Amino acid sequence: QLFWEKRLQGLSASDVTEQIIKSMELPKGLQGRVGPGSTDDTLLSAVASALHTSSAPITGQLSAAVEKNPAVWLNTSQPLCKAFIVTDEDIRKQEERVHQVRKKLEEALMADILSR
């Protein structure tokens, strides 16, 4: 289907207590208002799918035709978002976030081990 991401619209993940897990926030440079009824959650699903189904880089839609009529031309290997560029600063910030989360996980695991 051309707009397969629409099937996932309105669905969300939940934990074992059936509490809805808050969706992650997309970077500010990633603009998903391309295509009919496009939302940030739809874009997140499309980006996640593109990362899992292809090893090609994700660049977004590069044609101006998408802005005028998204049904005219779509690069089906790219999510429905405007073209974007990932900078070295973006990568550095993400690496720092990963480092912080790993440190918190290590602390939580050590606390769990010590409590036993």
Side-chain angles (χ1 to χ4, degrees):
Q1 290 184 357
L2 186 58
F3 298 109
W4 65 267
E5 294 94 346
K6 297 285 289 169
R7 286 188 283 167
L8 301 175
Q9 195 168 11
L11 299 177
S12 56
S14 60
D15 61 16
V16 294
T17 63
E18 297 187 13
Q19 294 292 318
I20 294 177
I21 298 172
K22 183 182 172 212
S23 181
M24 65 184 275
E25 293 179 14
L26 294 170
K28 292 178 184 169
L30 194 57
Q31 297 177 2
R33 301 291 181 216
V34 175
S38 182
T39 64
D40 286 348
D41 289 337
T42 305
L43 176 57
L44 181 59
S45 298
V47 170
S49 177
L51 287 170
H52 288 290
T53 60
S54 175
S55 61
I58 298 174
T59 58
Q61 299 291 331
L62 300 173
S63 171
V66 176
E67 293 294 322
K68 296 174 185 167
N69 183 355
V72 171
W73 177 90
L74 290 174
N75 178 356
T76 56
S77 66
Q78 294 296 326
L80 280 173
C81 64
K82 295 179 182 177
F84 60 93
I85 296 174
V86 177
T87 64
D88 289 339
E89 180 66 16
D90 295 332
I91 294 170
R92 188 193 62 70
K93 286 179 182 177
Q94 187 62 32
E95 287 174 342
E96 181 60 31
R97 275 194 212 151
V98 169
H99 178 70
Q100 290 172 357
V101 170
R102 285 181 176 167
K103 188 172 182 171
K104 286 181 182 179
L105 176 60
E106 179 183 8
E107 291 169 358
L109 290 172
M110 289 302 290
D112 183 56
I113 289 171
L114 292 175
S115 70
R116 291 178 189 206

